[in-house]
Amino acid sequence: MEGWPRNLSYGADLARFFNRSEALSSVRGCILLGERVVIPTRLREKCLKQLHEGHPGMQRMKALARSYVYWPSLDEDISECVKTCHACAVAAKSPPHAKPLSWPATKQPWERIHIDYAGPINGEFYLVIVDANTKWPEVIKANSTSTAETIAILRGVFARFGFPITLVSDNGSQFSSTAFTDYCCSKGIQHVTSPPFHPQSNGQAERFVDTFKRSVKKIEEGGASHGEALEIFLQPYRSTPNAALENHRSPAEAMFNRKIRTAMELLKPPPTTETLPEEHGRGFKSGDCVYAKWYSRNSWKWVPAQVVRIIGNVIYEVKTDDGRMHRRHVNQLRKRDIGSSEQSTNLAARTQLPLDLLIEGPRDVVPVEHPTVISSPLLPSSSDGVRGMTSSSPLPSPRPVPVQRRRRQQPVQSPRRSNRSRQFPRRLDGYLLQ
């Protein structure tokens, strides 16, 4: 009211009033800063309680206080009041999410794996295993989610790929049990569990579970069964290039250092096969007569056969005497030497002519009858007649000599075939070709 003292240094609080001295006024014994009441020190705590009634929060509490009251450390006191309020702390929001940090990079396949259960899908559960280095997935159907079933599944997977160095899982009861911990310790596996209710820490498995569920549902919409959908999903996923891998390799290529063959390989031209030099070994040609092994029950015997077709380098298709075709290895065949009679039989079979015609000739050929020469010892030869006989000498009457004629050969009739229907024995029903 009378002015400020000069040539004096003011304290911190008094300095703030001095800087705003032009806005200060007095009304009925109360100091005002504009339209705001300046609260003395002993009444500030009570004023803060009134402002914090209803727990409006820090920013709303400051806005309310700036409309009615003032003191130099008003903002600091309001912030301290809200921070120390137990009710506000219990119902406070979660702090801003920290920047996601990735797991340490692995140097080789199957060094760290992430596992989690997916389901229920159509009432069934699946154990999902994903390799952190190659993104190779394994999905195994589980009869239950118990610890014993989980260990049994992992035992089979580890038998194929080996034991990992680190195994990451959530805090499910099957993973946090003592039996599972003992199993990991016995195999030298470091078991790391993610924080409860924080699936981002096991994001490798969680993301694949989501992909797995969505893909299987899409495939089932196309008419495939649930079992077929799982196989149809895994094969393309493993062979598809992955952007998270080096050089955009596929999980199979990163896991096995090679590409797995799929049906898409049929779009490429077939590879040219190098012709290997022929080895001088035992072999047969088409039409060769051989002995082939005939297997019956627990024994075998050699039966005559003939090579019909060469299937491979050592595989042949042979035909036995009963007309049946068999496939045999070269080790199941041996050369068969045939005699003249068997050659005639084979010739008859090839020409389909009766055997008697091949041996005796055609039946309709009739030998030509030649005239027989009559010879008699009483008739002299021409030379003797010149020397010992004269023209006046009577000739002796010749002695009749019977003429022998060759009888005409009768054609050989082929045996008459029976007209009755013939059937194979019933014990051969299993071997007859329909």
Side-chain angles (χ1 to χ4, degrees), residues 250-367:
S250 64
E253 191 176 1
M255 186 70 176
F256 305 112
N257 200 21
R258 66 175 181 86
K259 292 183 178 180
I260 59 176
R261 187 176 183 274
T262 63
M264 302 301 295
E265 297 293 333
L266 299 176
L267 300 177
K268 299 181 179 179
T272 57
T273 57
E274 299 181 357
T275 304
L276 300 178
E278 296 183 0
E279 299 181 358
H280 297 284
R282 189 165 62 94
F284 302 96
K285 299 179 181 178
S286 179
D288 288 353
C289 296
V290 295
Y291 282 105
K293 285 187 176 181
W294 173 272
Y295 295 90
S296 177
R297 296 184 176 88
N298 294 329
S299 63
W300 59 270
K301 64 179 180 178
W302 294 108
V303 296
Q306 187 177 16
V307 178
V308 177
R309 185 165 59 99
I310 302 174
I311 300 178
N313 294 331
V314 292
I315 306 298
Y316 299 88
E317 188 172 0
V318 299
K319 181 178 182 181
T320 54
D321 292 344
D322 56 0
R324 300 179 61 185
M325 307 297 293
H326 304 275
R327 183 174 297 183
R328 291 292 183 266
H329 191 273
V330 67
N331 296 336
Q332 298 172 320
L333 302 174
R334 66 183 181 91
K335 186 178 180 181
R336 176 166 62 99
D337 296 327
I338 58 177
S340 59
S341 60
E342 192 170 355
Q343 289 180 356
S344 301
T345 304
N346 295 338
L347 179 60
R350 289 194 296 268
T351 58
Q352 298 181 355
L353 292 178
L355 180 61
D356 51 2
L357 294 183
L358 296 174
I359 297 177
E360 300 182 3
R363 303 176 186 175
D364 55 351
V365 177
V366 180

Side-chain angles (χ1 to χ4, degrees), residues 34-72:
E35 295 181 356
R36 301 161 60 183
V37 179
V38 178
I39 305 298
T41 304
R42 62 180 182 178
L43 298 177
R44 291 175 184 174
E45 184 176 356
K46 184 177 181 181
C47 184
L48 287 175
K49 290 181 179 180
Q50 292 178 351
L51 292 173
H52 193 60
E53 186 178 3
H55 305 278
M58 187 178 298
Q59 299 300 328
R60 293 176 60 188
M61 187 175 174
K62 288 181 179 180
L64 181 63
R66 290 167 186 169
S67 300
Y68 296 96
V69 297
Y70 172 80
W71 65 82

Side-chain angles (χ1 to χ4, degrees), residues 374-380 394-402:
I374 303 174
S375 61
S376 175
L378 298 179
L379 293 177
L395 293 176
S397 61
R399 190 175 182 179
V401 178

Side-chain angles (χ1 to χ4, degrees), residues 380-395:
S381 61
S382 60
S383 59
D384 292 344
V386 173
R387 291 192 304 266
M389 295 184 64
T390 61
S391 57
S392 59
S393 301
L395 293 176

